[in-house]
Structures are given as structure tokens and as C-alpha cells.
């Protein structure tokens, strides 16, 4: 059995979300993961400001 694809960065999740070869429900999950990763990066940057 092949190992599932693991994205390490938000841009990788976004690339998967935009891949027309993937089913739409899988693309939606990747889009949600990309959004979550971007929000985490923003929170991290904001926490360094204080």
C-alpha cells in the first residue's frame, strides 16, 4: 500500500486543492488544510509581535 501524500506547508496544500485530477471532495479538504495552515502562520507572526 502506498503512503498517503503529506503536505508540510500551506502552499503544498493549496497546490493539492487546485489539482483538477483530484476528486472535488478531496480538493475541498486540501483547501481547508491550506486555510488552517495560513491562519496558524498568521497567529505565529502575531504572537511574536507582543
Amino acid at each position: 500500500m502506498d503512503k498517503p501524500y503529506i503536505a508540510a506547508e500551506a502552499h503544498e496544500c493549496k497546490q493539492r486543492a487546485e489539482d483538477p485530477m483530484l476528486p472535488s471532495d478531496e480538493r475541498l479538504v486540501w483547501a481547508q488544510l491550506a486555510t488552517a495552515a495560513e491562519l496558524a502562520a498568521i497567529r505565529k507572526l502575531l504572537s511574536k509581535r507582543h
Side-chain angles (χ1 to χ4, degrees), residues 18-37:
E18 295 173 345
D19 185 347
M21 299 302 288
L22 295 176
S24 61
D25 56 341
E26 189 173 331
R27 292 174 62 196
L28 178 59
V29 171
W30 283 112
Q32 291 171 328
L33 290 171
T35 302

